[in-house]
Amino acid sequence: MSEEMAVRQAAAVSGRDEEAVLLLERVHYRHDPRWLLPVSPRLCLACALELLPERGVSLVRKKYVLSCFRDALVRHASLVTQLVAQDQRVCIHFINILFGLLCNVEDGNVTDLCIEVLIQLVTQLKQEQTVHCLLDECHRELCSMPSMQGSPATLTLLGKLVDTIPALADKLVMEHGGLMKHLLRGLVYPNEGVQASVCYLYGKLYSSPMAAEMLSGHFREKLCPLFLSTLEGAQTKELQINCLGLLRQLLKYDLFVSMIMNKSALAETAQSVEGPPGETSLPLVLKKFLLSRDETLQVASAHCITAVLVHSPVKHAPAFIHADIPEFLFEHLSSSSEVLIWSIYNCLILLAEEPLFFSKCHTVYGIEAVVRSLQGSLKLTNTELHKQGLLLFAEILTRQPEEIRLFTSSAMCGDAGRALQEAVSSPVLEVAAEAVKAASAFLRKDHQSAPPVQYRALRALLEAMLSRCWEFSQTPLNRRSLGNRDSEKAILRRGKFLLSTLEGFRNACRLAVEFQGEPIAQENPFTAPSAEKEDTLEDFSEFLLSACDSLCIPMVMRHLEQATHPALMEVFLSILHSLFIIVPHMKKKFSKKLAASSFIRLTLELKARFCNGSSHSALNQVCSSFLYCMCLNLLSAPEKTRSLSQEELSAVSELLQHGLPQISSRSPESVAFLSDRQYVEGTARQRQYCILLLFYLAYIHEDRFVSEAELFVALQGFLLSLQDQGEHPPPVVFRASIYLIAICQDKDSALDEAVVSAIRKFLEGISDLHLVYTHHPLLLRFFLLYPELMSRFGHRILELWFFWEESSYEELDDVSSAGLPTLPASLAALFQMLRSSPSILLILLDLVYSSPVDTARKVLMILRTFLRRNEDVQVDGLIRGHFLLILQHLLVEHGASPSGASGNLPLLLSLLSLVQLRNKSEQELDSMAMKLLHQAAAVLLSTTALIELLEKMLALTWTEMGSPTWAEASSPRTALLCSAWLLTDSFSAQQHSGSLQVHQTLSVELDQLLKALSFPKKKPALLSAAILRFLRTALQQNFSSALVALAPSGSQPLPAPEDNILAPLGTSQVLALVIGLQNLLVQKDPLLSQGCVGCLEALLDYVYARSPDLALHMASQPWNRFLLFTLLDAGENSFLRSEILRLMTLFVRYNSSSVLSHEEVGHVLQVAALADLSTLSNTTRRALRDFFLQVQSMGLLINHSTTQTLQASLEGLSLSAFSDHPLPQDMLYPFLHLGALAWARLPKL
C-alpha cells in the first residue's frame, strides 16, 4: 500500500482513532493540557514535538500530522499561533524539528509540506527571532553540506521565505553574504534540480531593488556568464521556467539588461569569427524557447524580449531583429492562446520602434499574419487583446517607410480595411478608439497604391468611423449624476475620440489630393467598359465632401458648445481647406455654405483666442490658409456683384496671404483698429483691408457678428483716414466699405457731410460703379438717400440694381389676377423709397428709355405696379413733364430717326398711357397732354422701322383670313392685328391734324380692305371694328393722308367716267361697301355697330361731297328702313341706343323721309322727352343731342312743348357729356396700341 493510501486511511478513522494518530499516547499523559489544540483536529504540540523526530514513527504518520497542523494553521491561525507562542524555546525547538525533518527526508511531498508549514508558521508568528533562527539553520545546513545534492529543499525554503517576506532578501544579502558562494556552487552543480532551486532563490533575491543593487557586482563578475550558460543548456522544464523567472527579475533593471546584452553582443561577435564558442547570446537563447512547442516557454520568452526592449528599443531591438526573432513572432500569431498572442503583440510593438524592423522587410512578410490575427481576435471577448492588436497594427501602419510597400496586393489591403471596419464598430469605446487610430494610419497613399484602389472599401471604413463617432457624440451627458470633474473627463474623452476620427478623415482627404495626380488611381482599371464606374476617385471625393457636410461639421460644432481644443480645430480646418482642392467644382458653393454658417466668425475667434504672439503657430497657419481659400472662392463667385478679374484676384490673393496671419484680435479690437485716424503705415493698412474683406464676406452671408453701430462709426473713420493720407483703396476694398456702411447705417443716423464728400470723391475716381456695386436694398437706399450721391450716381446705381434684381415681376404686372400679389422684400423697399422721394421716378423713366430691353422691361413693370398701387401719390405732372423732355430730346438730337436712339420707346409710351389713364375719363386734355401728344406722334411718325412693321402687320390681315384661329377673337394674332389697324388709324389722324412730317409712307391695298368689309366672312368683331375705324379716318381725310397710301391691287379695268368722281373708289365698290356695312349692323354687336355707323357717316359725307344725288339715293333706299327696324327690339325705348340714334340722325340729315317719316321723328322726340336721360350713357346722350340738333336744323320740330321739354332735359345734363373735344382714350391710341405691339414682340423674361 502506498503512503498516500495510508494517509487517506488514517484520515478516515473515527474521531477517537484520529486523535490517537495525532497524539503520542505513551507520553501524552505527561503533557500539560495547554499544549492541546482546543478545536479539531485535537493536536497536541508536545506530542508533535516528540513524534516528528521519533525514528520509530512512520513517515506516513508524520506526514499526516504535518498535514493536520497545516490545516489547523489555515483554519485556526490565531489559536495555533497562541499555542506555539506560549514558550519561545518550544517555538524555536519546533522550528528546528521541522527544518530537520525537511533536510533529512527525501520524500518530495513531505518536503513541500514542511516548507509550507514553516512558511505559514513564521509568517503567522511575526517574530524576528524566529526568522533569524530559521535563516541561521539554513545557512548552517548549506555550509555543512559536502555537496549541493541535498540543497534544493533548503534553497527552496529560502526562496519561498523571501517571497513571503520580501524584506528578507536585503537581510540575506547583507548578513549572510556567504550564501552567494553556495548559490554559485549549486549553479555549476551538474544537477538541474539543484540549479533550478538556485535560480529560484536568485530570482527572489533579485526581486528586491536594494538586494539587486548590492548583488550587481556579484552578477557582473560571477553570475552573468554562469546564468546565461545555464539558461542556454537548461533541459528540464523546471530549470527552464526558473531561469526565465530569474531573467525576468534581472531584466527589470537597466544595469543588468546592459550587462546581459553586452555579453550577447560579444557572443554574436565570437560566433561570426571562426573558433570555439564562447559567450551566450540572449536573443538566440530566447529564440530557442520561442521555437519550442511549450506555450508557457513561448509566453515567457516573449515576456523576456519585451522586458529587454522596454528599456531601450532602439538600443536593444537590432540584436533581436538580427536573430530573426520577428519572423517567429509573426508565425506564432496564428496560435489559439490569447496570452501568447497578447505577449507577441507587446513584443512587436516595441520592435516596431526600430527602423531596422521595417528595412529588413519583417512587416511586409508579417502583415498578413497580423491582419489574420486581428480578425480572429475580434471574434473573442478579450478587449485587452483587441486593443493591443490594434495598437500593433497602428504602429506598423504609421512607421512603415513609404518606399517599402506594406500591402503587396489589393486583396490584402482590402482584408485589412475590413478588419479595421469591424474593429471601429466595436461597442467597447477603448477598442473603437484604437481602431480609429489604426484606420487613420491605414489611410496613407503608399498603403493604398496597390491597383486597383478600393475606394468603395475606403468609403465603407470612413462611414464606420464617422458613424461610431456620431453615436458616441450623441450619448447624453448627465452632468448632475457625473459631477463636474467626471463630466469634464467625459467631454475630454469625447474630444479625443473626435480628434482621432477627424485625423483619419484628414488622411483620407490627403489621400484624395495625392491621387489626383496619378491617372492609374482615378478609377478602377479592371472595371468593364460597359459597367457603371462607381469605384472612382471622383465618387470618393464627392463622398468626402458630403460626409464632412453631414457628419463632421455637425459633430465639431456640437463639441464646440462644450469645449474648444486647438489641436482638434487645427485638424478640422485643415479638412475643410483640403476639400476645396478635392472637389474643385464645388468649392464655391461649399464656401458660400460655410460663410453662411458663421465659419468666418468661428475662425477669427479661434485665432483671437489661441494664436496671440507665437502660440499655436500651426493653428494660426491652418486658420489663415482656410480663410484665404474661402475668401478667394467667395470673391471668385460673388453674391449679387461682379466677379473679380484675374488681375484683381491676384492682388487680393497677395493681400490676404500677407494680412491674414497677422490678424489675431477679437472683433471689438478689430473694429477699433479700423477707426484709427492716426497715420496708418502700409502693413497696418493691409491688415485693415483684410479685416474689411472678412467683415464684408461675413455680412453678405448674413453673419453679422460685429456691432453695426460700432462698425458704422469705424468705417467713417477709415474712409476719412484714407482721404487724409491721399490713398485710394482697391475697388474690392472700397466695395466692401460702401456695402458695410450702407448695411450698418441706422434709419435715424446719417453720415457727416465730410464722409459723404469723401465717398463721392472715391467714387468719382472709379471708372464704373459696377466695380464697387453689391446688390442690396440698403445699398440702393444709401445712394438715393443723399442728394449729393443720387444726383451724381443715382442713374447708374438704379441701372445696376435692375440688372442684378432676379425677382419675377410677371405676376405683378398681371392686372387680371384676383387681388394684389405680395411684393418681394426688395421691391417693397424700392417702393418705400419712391414714395419718400418721387423724383427717383424720373431716373426710372430715363432707364426705361436708355437701358437694354430686359432691364427696361423690369423697370417698366415696376413703374406700372407702383403707379397702380399708389394712386394717392401725385406724380403724374412730374412724370408727364419729364416725358416731354425725353421726347423733345429725341427730336432735337436725332432728327429724322429718333427711334434709333432707343429701342425702348414703345415701352415709354406704354407707361405714358398708364399715367394718362390715371386721370378721370371725363377730364379734358390739358396743355401738357396736348404737348405730349404732339411730341409722341412726331417721334412715332419719324420711326421708319415702326411704319415698315405696321405695313407688314396690316398685310397679314389678308393672309390670315383662312387660318383656323381667324375666328378666335382672343387669339394673340387677332389682338395684334387689331392693334396694328388702330395704331395706323391714330397715326394717320394725328399726322393729318397736326401736319406732322412723314419719313416713310405706309401702303394698304384698297381692294383687299373693301373686300374684307363688303364681303365679310366670319371673323372677330374687334378686328372688323378696327378696320372700320381706319376706313372712316381715310374717308374723313378724303384719302389724302401723307402717311397712308391706299393702292389698288393687281391689274384693274379702266374706271368708268362716273367713277372718276369718287376716286379712288368706284360706284360699285361704294354700293358693295354699303351693303357690307348693313350686313355688319345686322349682327347687333355693340362695338361693331358703332364702327359701322361711323364708317357709314364718313362714306355718305365723302360721296355727298362728290355726287349728292348718289348720296341721297343711297340714304333713301327702302332697305335702310328695314335695317332700322331690324336693329330695334321689342323693348320700351329701344331706339335710345347710341348707334340707332346716330343712324336716324344720318337719315334725317339726308332727308330720307321714306326711311324715317316726320311722324316717326316726332314720336321719337316725344318718347325721349319723357325718358329719364340721366340713366343713359354719355355716348347715348351725345347721340341724342346730335339727333335733336339735326332735327332742329332741318325744321322738323312740330310739337313745341315736346321740343322745350327735351331741350331742357339735355341742357340740364353735365356739359362734359357733350364736349366737342376728343376723349383722352382716343388721343392715347398711339400709346396704347404701340404698347401692345411692343409687348407682343418682346421676349418673355
Side-chain angles (χ1 to χ4, degrees):
M1 181 183 294
S2 64
E3 294 181 359
E4 287 79 2
M5 292 295 294
V7 172
R8 290 194 190 99
Q9 262 191 346
V13 298
S14 62
R16 184 180 58 78
D17 294 337
E18 179 184 2
E19 188 175 317
V21 173
L22 292 174
L23 302 177
L24 192 58
E25 294 181 352
R26 59 186 175 83
V27 294
H28 178 64
Y29 68 93
R30 297 181 304 188
H31 298 158
D32 194 317
R34 66 191 178 108
W35 299 111
L36 183 64
L37 193 64
V39 295
S40 179
R42 301 285 291 176
L43 188 145
C44 177
L45 181 59
C47 289
L49 289 173
E50 296 192 33
L51 183 146
L52 290 175
E54 182 66 39
R55 294 182 180 274
V57 178
S58 68
L59 186 61
V60 174
R61 186 177 180 183
K62 293 178 180 180
K63 184 179 179 181
Y64 181 70
V65 171
L66 287 173
S67 177
C68 290
F69 189 80
R70 180 199 60 190
D71 294 342
L73 270 174
V74 173
R75 289 186 290 171
H76 312 291
S78 59
L79 293 176
V80 175
T81 302
Q82 293 174 10
L83 185 68
V84 176
Q86 292 181 84
D87 191 318
Q88 184 66 27
R89 293 173 303 166
V90 173
C91 179
I92 297 298
H93 181 57
F94 184 51
I95 288 175
N96 289 335
I97 289 175
L98 290 174
F99 182 75
L101 184 62
L102 170 69
C103 295
N104 297 322
V105 175
E106 295 182 358
D107 189 309
N109 292 327
V110 176
T111 301
D112 293 341
L113 198 56
C114 289
I115 292 174
E116 186 176 359
V117 171
L118 281 170
I119 296 299
Q120 288 187 16
L121 186 61
V122 170
T123 304
Q124 294 295 334
L125 287 172
K126 299 179 183 179
Q127 294 179 356
E128 189 174 349
Q129 185 178 359
T130 305
V131 176
H132 279 291
C133 172
L134 186 56
L135 291 178
D136 291 340
E137 289 294 329
C138 291
H139 193 207
R140 279 195 293 271
E141 177 65 20
L142 289 173
C143 292
S144 63
M145 287 182 182
S147 71
M148 296 299 291
Q149 180 64 36
S151 63
T154 304
L155 295 174
T156 302
L157 172 63
L158 285 172
K160 289 185 178 293
L161 195 61
V162 173
D163 188 36
T164 307
I165 310 174
L168 288 181
D170 303 336
K171 191 179 293 293
L172 274 175
V173 173
M174 289 186 293
E175 299 179 5
H176 300 275
L179 179 63
M180 297 306 118
K181 64 179 181 179
H182 300 297
L183 295 180
L184 291 175
R185 284 173 54 204
L187 199 57
V188 298
Y189 192 78
N191 184 305
E192 291 201 352
V194 175
Q195 293 174 346
S197 61
V198 170
C199 288
Y200 179 74
L201 179 56
Y202 263 131
K204 299 306 175 182
L205 292 175
Y206 278 99
S207 65
S208 169
M210 183 179 294
E213 184 178 357
M214 290 186 289
L215 291 173
S216 58
H218 171 74
F219 179 81
R220 179 176 54 252
E221 297 168 4
K222 299 176 181 179
L223 180 59
C224 183
L226 288 177
F227 167 66
L228 292 177
S229 177
T230 303
L231 177 64
E232 183 181 24
Q235 299 297 320
T236 63
K237 186 173 182 179
E238 181 186 13
L239 178 58
Q240 291 170 339
I241 293 297
N242 286 354
C243 283
L244 290 172
L246 171 58
L247 180 62
R248 286 285 303 278
Q249 295 300 329
L250 292 170
L251 295 178
K252 291 179 180 178
Y253 310 103
D254 187 68
L255 175 63
F256 298 139
V257 171
S258 298
M259 291 180 186
I260 294 172
M261 294 307 294
N262 288 337
K263 290 286 184 181
S264 300
L266 292 174
E268 292 172 5
T269 303
Q271 289 175 5
S272 63
V273 180
E274 295 184 2
E279 305 292 344
T280 301
S281 170
L282 179 63
L284 293 178
V285 173
L286 294 177
K287 177 181 176 181
K288 181 186 72 172
F289 288 123
L290 194 62
L291 292 174
S292 69
R293 296 184 178 181
D294 191 306
E295 180 184 314
T296 305
L297 295 178
Q298 292 172 344
V299 171
S301 175
H303 285 175
C304 291
I305 296 172
T306 303
V308 173
L309 295 174
V310 162
H311 291 279
S312 178
V314 176
K315 183 177 179 182
H316 302 306
F320 294 99
I321 294 172
H322 286 302
D324 292 329
I325 284 180
E327 176 183 348
F328 301 105
L329 290 173
F330 282 124
E331 286 183 3
H332 287 313
L333 284 177
S334 60
S335 170
S336 60
S337 171
E338 296 181 25
V339 176
L340 178 58
I341 294 175
W342 188 85
S343 303
I344 293 174
Y345 282 162
N346 291 337
C347 188
L348 289 171
I349 288 170
L350 292 169
L351 286 172
E353 296 186 29
E354 169 55 37
L356 188 64
F357 180 66
F358 299 95
S359 61
K360 288 287 186 179
C361 294
H362 286 295
T363 51
V364 177
Y365 300 115
I367 191 63
E368 184 174 358
V370 174
V371 172
R372 289 180 179 174
S373 171
L374 189 59
Q375 289 174 328
S377 67
L378 289 172
K379 295 179 174 60
L380 306 175
T381 58
N382 189 339
T383 57
E384 291 299 321
L385 188 64
H386 300 167
K387 289 193 293 184
Q388 286 301 106
L390 290 166
L391 180 59
L392 168 63
F393 195 22
E395 286 293 315
I396 293 175
L397 291 168
T398 303
R399 296 177 181 272
Q400 179 73 21
E402 294 183 4
E403 62 274 10
I404 303 175
R405 183 179 293 178
L406 182 62
F407 299 104
T408 55
S409 69
S410 181
M412 177 52 59
C413 185
D415 290 341
R418 285 185 287 274
L420 288 173
Q421 183 179 343
E422 182 181 356
V424 164
S425 303
S426 170
V428 181
L429 181 63
E430 291 78 5
V431 175
E434 290 296 338
V436 168
K437 293 177 183 177
S440 178
F442 178 67
L443 295 166
R444 214 173 74 180
K445 180 183 175 183
D446 53 293
H447 295 332
Q448 306 296 331
S449 57
V453 180
Q454 300 184 13
Y455 292 112
R456 195 174 301 171
L458 294 178
R459 173 174 177 168
L461 176 59
L462 287 169
E463 285 175 341
M465 292 169 57
L466 294 172
S467 176
R468 186 66 178 87
C469 189
W470 178 266
E471 177 187 343
F472 182 39
S473 68
Q474 296 301 308
T475 305
L477 284 177
N478 192 339
R479 297 178 181 268
R480 191 172 295 177
S481 61
L482 288 175
N484 290 336
R485 181 171 298 179
D486 291 338
S487 178
E488 291 175 0
K489 290 181 179 179
I491 293 172
L492 182 61
R493 188 162 56 249
R494 284 188 178 183
K496 288 181 178 179
F497 194 91
L498 178 58
L499 174 59
S500 299
T501 304
L502 291 177
E503 286 175 341
F505 197 86
R506 178 180 61 178
N507 288 349
C509 293
R510 185 180 296 132
L511 191 67
V513 173
E514 292 172 344
F515 277 150
Q516 283 182 344
E518 297 191 10
I520 195 174
Q522 299 295 318
E523 59 185 33
N524 190 340
F526 303 112
T527 304
S530 60
E532 186 177 355
K533 297 182 179 180
E534 296 179 351
D535 204 9
T536 63
L537 176 60
E538 182 181 0
D539 289 334
F540 181 66
S541 300
E542 291 181 356
F543 157 74
L544 291 175
L545 178 62
S546 174
C548 180
D549 183 45
S550 59
L551 291 172
C552 294
I553 293 178
M555 285 192 293
V556 172
M557 301 310 289
R558 181 184 177 92
H559 183 71
L560 281 177
E561 296 173 0
Q562 301 171 337
T564 305
H565 303 290
L568 187 148
M569 296 308 298
E570 178 187 339
V571 175
F572 175 58
L573 291 177
S574 67
I575 290 173
L576 300 181
H577 177 258
S578 62
L579 285 172
F580 296 144
I581 304 170
I582 294 171
V583 196
H585 67 280
M586 292 292 290
K587 65 181 181 180
K588 295 177 182 178
K589 184 176 180 180
F590 187 46
S591 297
K592 291 178 182 179
K593 186 170 184 179
L594 291 174
S597 302
S598 303
F599 270 76
I600 295 177
R601 176 199 306 202
L602 172 64
T603 312
L604 290 177
E605 288 177 352
L606 286 173
K607 288 169 67 69
R609 182 174 177 183
F610 297 108
C611 303
N612 286 317
S614 59
S615 61
H616 294 96
S617 58
L619 176 62
N620 186 28
Q621 182 60 41
V622 170
C623 290
S624 302
S625 299
F626 167 69
L627 284 175
Y628 168 78
C629 286
M630 184 167 67
C631 289
L632 284 185
N633 292 336
L634 294 173
L635 292 171
S636 301
E639 289 283 344
K640 303 291 187 180
T641 187
R642 72 176 186 94
S643 300
L644 300 183
S645 66
Q646 193 58 46
E647 182 180 354
E648 289 175 309
L649 276 177
S650 300
V652 172
S653 172
E654 184 177 357
L655 171 67
L656 294 172
Q657 210 163 19
H658 290 89
L660 286 174
Q662 309 302 320
I663 298 175
S664 60
S665 56
R666 298 186 180 275
S667 298
E669 298 169 357
S670 298
V671 172
F673 177 63
L674 277 178
S675 62
D676 189 4
R677 289 291 302 275
Q678 300 295 326
Y679 182 80
V680 181
E681 297 180 351
T683 304
R685 186 69 81 192
Q686 299 293 316
R687 279 180 56 200
Q688 286 183 332
Y689 290 169
C690 285
I691 291 171
L692 270 176
L693 289 176
L694 291 173
F695 288 171
Y696 168 68
L697 294 173
Y699 265 65
I700 276 185
H701 294 89
E702 301 301 326
D703 183 17
R704 303 186 178 186
F705 58 92
V706 183
S707 168
E708 295 184 3
E710 295 176 2
L711 184 56
F712 181 68
V713 175
L715 286 167
Q716 296 181 65
F718 169 75
L719 293 173
L720 292 176
S721 172
L722 288 173
Q723 180 180 250
D724 294 342
Q725 296 183 202
E727 299 180 33
H728 293 276
V732 65
V733 175
F734 190 66
R735 177 206 295 175
S737 306
I738 290 296
Y739 177 82
L740 289 172
I741 207 167
I743 296 297
C744 296
Q745 181 176 7
D746 188 75
K747 292 182 179 179
D748 300 327
S749 60
L751 290 175
D752 293 337
E753 292 184 5
V755 179
V756 176
S757 176
I759 291 174
R760 175 166 180 167
K761 289 180 181 178
F762 287 133
L763 290 172
E764 288 173 344
I766 295 174
S767 59
D768 193 338
L769 283 186
H770 85 281
L771 297 174
V772 297
Y773 178 78
T774 303
H775 189 64
H776 197 281
L778 292 179
L779 185 70
L780 178 64
R781 172 182 173 270
F782 174 79
F783 272 91
L784 300 181
L785 180 64
Y786 299 99
E788 188 175 355
L789 297 180
M790 185 176 74
S791 62
R792 179 67 175 82
F793 309 108
H795 185 281
R796 181 56 176 153
I797 284 296
L798 281 166
E799 188 176 40
L800 290 169
W801 162 269
F802 285 106
F803 175 79
W804 286 102
E805 185 62 22
E806 296 178 351
S807 300
S808 176
Y809 301 138
E810 294 291 338
E811 61 180 18
L812 297 177
D813 199 56
D814 185 8
V815 295
S816 62
S817 60
L820 294 176
T822 304
L823 292 175
S826 58
L827 192 54
L830 177 60
F831 280 14
Q832 185 177 2
M833 298 177 214
L834 293 176
R835 288 184 64 89
S836 61
S837 180
S839 59
I840 302 173
L841 291 169
L842 304 183
I843 303 177
L844 295 181
L845 287 177
D846 290 337
L847 288 178
V848 176
Y849 160 69
S850 61
S851 299
V853 174
D854 290 344
T855 302
R857 184 168 180 171
K858 288 182 182 180
V859 180
L860 175 64
M861 285 189 288
I862 285 179
L863 283 173
R864 289 162 65 100
T865 305
F866 176 76
L867 292 174
R868 287 197 187 106
R869 291 177 178 239
N870 296 272
E871 294 183 355
D872 58 319
V873 179
Q874 301 301 319
V875 294
D876 297 347
L878 182 69
I879 293 178
R880 292 192 299 166
H882 199 67
F883 260 119
L884 185 61
L885 291 176
I886 292 176
L887 295 175
Q888 289 173 346
H889 171 76
L890 283 173
L891 289 174
V892 172
E893 295 293 330
H894 300 280
S897 58
S899 61
S902 173
N904 301 332
L905 184 58
L907 301 181
L908 274 171
L909 297 176
S910 175
L911 180 63
L912 179 57
S913 69
L914 176 64
V915 175
Q916 287 295 110
L917 291 176
R918 279 164 57 95
N919 300 326
K920 299 233 179 249
S921 61
E922 294 82 4
Q923 178 182 344
E924 297 183 7
L925 293 177
D926 56 14
S927 60
M928 177 63 73
M930 296 302 295
K931 291 178 181 178
L932 276 173
L933 180 60
H934 178 79
Q935 294 292 345
V939 170
L940 293 173
L941 288 172
S942 64
T943 308
T944 303
L946 176 61
I947 303 303
E948 292 175 349
L949 174 63
L950 280 176
E951 184 175 2
K952 294 178 182 178
M953 296 293 296
L954 297 181
L956 287 176
T957 307
W958 329 128
T959 60
E960 290 287 335
M961 283 186 178
S963 65
T965 60
W966 175 251
E968 298 178 9
S970 61
S971 69
R973 302 176 72 89
T974 301
L976 191 61
L977 291 176
C978 291
S979 296
W981 282 105
L982 292 173
L983 186 60
T984 305
D985 169 69
S986 298
F987 281 173
S988 179
Q990 295 301 320
Q991 186 278 329
H992 188 77
S993 63
S995 301
L996 299 177
Q997 185 178 3
V998 174
H999 300 276
Q1000 176 72 27
T1001 303
L1002 187 152
S1003 179
V1004 177
E1005 295 184 22
L1006 180 60
D1007 295 343
Q1008 294 287 356
L1009 175 66
L1010 295 176
K1011 182 180 177 182
L1013 296 175
S1014 302
F1015 308 99
K1017 297 182 181 180
K1018 188 177 181 181
K1019 57 179 177 288
L1022 180 63
L1023 180 59
S1024 297
I1027 297 175
L1028 287 169
R1029 184 178 181 88
F1030 169 79
L1031 181 57
R1032 186 194 69 174
T1033 302
L1035 289 167
Q1036 289 172 344
Q1037 296 174 358
N1038 298 321
F1039 297 105
S1040 61
S1041 172
L1043 174 66
V1044 179
L1046 291 171
S1049 58
S1051 61
Q1052 292 184 340
L1054 294 175
E1058 62 270 15
D1059 289 341
N1060 292 328
I1061 301 174
L1062 301 178
L1065 296 175
T1067 304
S1068 59
Q1069 289 176 323
V1070 170
L1071 296 177
L1073 179 59
V1074 170
I1075 295 172
L1077 294 176
Q1078 290 173 342
N1079 291 334
L1080 290 174
L1081 277 170
V1082 173
Q1083 296 181 17
K1084 294 186 179 182
D1085 182 277
L1087 180 64
L1088 193 57
S1089 298
Q1090 292 285 352
C1092 287
V1093 173
C1095 188
L1096 187 60
E1097 291 171 345
L1099 178 61
L1100 287 175
D1101 289 343
Y1102 178 82
V1103 173
Y1104 185 82
R1106 288 158 178 77
S1107 178
D1109 294 338
L1110 179 59
L1112 293 173
H1113 173 72
M1114 292 167 55
S1116 303
Q1117 287 295 316
W1119 178 257
N1120 291 333
R1121 182 173 178 81
F1122 176 76
L1123 173 65
L1124 182 60
F1125 283 95
T1126 301
L1127 294 177
L1128 294 173
D1129 53 33
E1132 185 180 358
N1133 300 339
S1134 60
F1135 60 85
L1136 290 179
R1137 297 205 307 267
S1138 61
E1139 65 272 17
I1140 296 178
L1141 288 170
R1142 289 174 64 189
L1143 192 60
M1144 290 191 298
T1145 304
L1146 186 64
F1147 294 146
V1148 170
R1149 182 190 308 166
Y1150 289 99
N1151 201 14
S1152 303
S1153 58
S1154 60
V1155 177
L1156 188 65
S1157 65
H1158 295 172
E1159 291 78 8
E1160 289 170 335
V1161 170
H1163 176 71
V1164 169
L1165 293 176
Q1166 187 177 4
V1167 172
L1170 298 175
D1172 183 5
L1173 302 185
S1174 63
T1175 61
L1176 302 179
S1177 67
N1178 286 343
T1179 305
T1180 303
R1181 283 181 285 177
R1182 187 183 299 110
L1184 179 60
R1185 176 176 177 270
D1186 292 341
F1187 176 71
F1188 175 77
L1189 294 176
Q1190 185 65 46
V1191 171
Q1192 189 179 38
S1193 67
M1194 297 294 292
L1196 300 178
L1197 296 177
I1198 301 172
N1199 191 332
H1200 295 287
S1201 62
T1202 301
T1203 302
Q1204 292 175 357
T1205 302
L1206 181 59
Q1207 188 171 7
S1209 298
L1210 290 172
E1211 289 176 355
L1213 296 175
S1214 173
L1215 294 177
S1216 63
F1218 310 125
S1219 174
D1220 292 331
H1221 296 287
L1223 294 178
Q1225 291 91 330
D1226 294 335
M1227 302 293 287
L1228 287 174
Y1229 271 125
F1231 313 142
L1232 294 174
H1233 301 300
L1234 182 61
L1237 285 171
W1239 283 108
R1241 296 192 65 202
L1242 284 176
K1244 294 298 181 183
L1245 290 176

